[in-house]
Amino acid sequence: MLEIEDLNLHYGQHLALDSVSVTIAPGETVVILGANGAGKSSLLKSVARLVPSDAGSQIRLDGRLLAALPAHRIVQEGIALVPEGRGVFGDLTVEENLLLGANPPRARTDEGERRAQVYDLFPKLKERRRQAVNTMSGGEQQMVAIGRALMSNPAYLMLDEPSLGLAPVMVTELFLALDRIRKSGVALLIVEQNVRVSLSIADRGYLIEAGRIVGADTAKALLNDEAVQRAFLGKTDERG
Ligand code: ATP
């Protein structure tokens, strides 16, 4: 169980996360919905220890406090982040990017098997394994980023707006792959603007507004929630 409890994060005087509490059970898929600047990326970066949360914030994995660990130890604990903008190495080939993802000790032993699983999930990457990543489309680069994160053998995979900037057909392909990852038992924590498609594979979702969690429910209930529909699904209030 990944537990985020009373997470506060300041950037200077600015309070970007205000007493945020979120839990993700093993194998569960959870979506964080919120407008630009609501704090979604900051939440994922806090869990990955890429930004330091305020004293008193609690982030626990199976009861162990993660707050004192550096970022590379978080990957070793089984939590991987696919950052916004993907963070792939453009000059390197697909396969070189995947190999870099297999660096943590938890991944080294069965690196070959894991690489075969990534190629099974994304056959296009196998075809293009010797191609430099910066010559590939945005969707293919997103697959490389997800594949690299999977190489670390995560129990929890966090994705920051994975569909951003992708053509609709690529978004569909991407979420089919995420659904397969989910079904293989990896828990997903997804920050998305594409609310409908992300809720369609999720178990639960949270609404975040100006750094605060303002709602939480099952994915099904959120899809049918009028406020969510108004805010994110382009439906207008009939009363104007
Ligand atoms: P987006 O979808 O636009 O990325 P978000 O919901 O992911 O938005 P964050 O990127 O987490 O939001 O930002 C939350 C708030 O913190 C915003 O007001 C943002 O301007 C501010 N912020 C984020 N990173 C920093 C930083 N490094 N220094 C100062 N302020 C920051």
Side-chain angles (χ1 to χ4, degrees):
M1 175 82 84
L2 179 59
E3 295 167 288
I4 300 157
E5 199 182 319
D6 264 334
L7 173 60
N8 290 295
L9 171 67
H10 278 87
Y11 295 114
Q13 297 293 310
H14 177 67
L15 181 61
L17 294 174
D18 185 358
S19 300
V20 167
S21 294
V22 167
T23 58
I24 306 115
E28 200 180 24
T29 293
V30 171
V31 176
I32 309 285
L33 306 173
N36 284 343
K40 305 180 302 294
S41 300
S42 297
L43 173 59
L44 298 192
K45 284 188 202 160
S46 299
V47 176
R49 306 301 303 150
L50 296 176
V51 293
S53 43
D54 295 359
S57 306
Q58 306 257 318
I59 304 174
R60 287 185 299 265
L61 178 64
D62 300 333
R64 292 191 306 285
L65 272 177
L66 298 182
L69 300 177
H72 72 273
R73 278 294 309 280
I74 301 300
V75 183
Q76 176 58 20
E77 294 291 321
I79 302 173
L81 171 67
V82 179
E84 192 176 349
R86 303 171 194 129
V88 288
F89 295 94
D91 293 337
L92 302 183
T93 65
V94 168
E95 189 134 307
E96 285 165 341
N97 269 278
L98 294 185
L99 288 175
L100 283 172
N103 196 39
R106 72 181 275 125
R108 277 184 211 148
T109 44
D110 41 12
E111 180 270 318
E113 190 185 321
R114 205 163 312 289
R115 195 161 14 128
Q117 285 168 356
V118 170
Y119 286 148
D120 180 52
L121 188 64
F122 299 118
K124 262 185 207 159
L125 296 189
K126 188 173 187 182
E127 283 166 32
R128 292 162 187 236
R129 62 189 180 278
R130 311 221 183 285
Q131 188 170 329
V133 166
N134 58 14
T135 64
M136 299 171 78
S137 74
E140 289 160 355
Q141 293 193 22
Q142 188 60 261
M143 292 173 191
V144 174
I146 293 169
R148 191 183 61 182
L150 288 175
M151 291 296 288
S152 70
N153 188 21
Y156 293 83
L157 180 63
M158 304 192 292
L159 300 115
D160 196 346
E161 303 208 17
S163 78
L164 196 67
L166 303 189
V169 61
M170 286 306 306
V171 174
T172 305
E173 200 175 317
L174 174 74
F175 273 86
L176 284 172
L178 291 178
D179 199 35
R180 279 184 68 191
I181 296 169
R182 179 182 81 79
K183 286 177 176 148
S184 77
V186 178
L188 303 178
L189 178 57
I190 308 174
V191 157
E192 252 301 337
Q193 304 228 338
N194 201 327
V195 172
R196 203 184 299 276
V197 74
S198 57
L199 282 178
S200 74
I201 69 159
D203 298 298
R204 292 188 299 117
Y206 291 84
L207 307 178
I208 186 167
E209 205 177 283
R212 292 185 73 92
I213 299 290
V214 294
D217 214 327
T218 63
K220 199 170 168 194
L222 288 173
L223 267 173
N224 293 317
D225 186 290
E226 270 186 36
V228 171
Q229 291 184 349
R230 269 202 305 278
F232 300 112
L233 296 174
K235 300 208 176 151
T236 49
D237 187 331
E238 281 169 10
R239 289 163 298 175

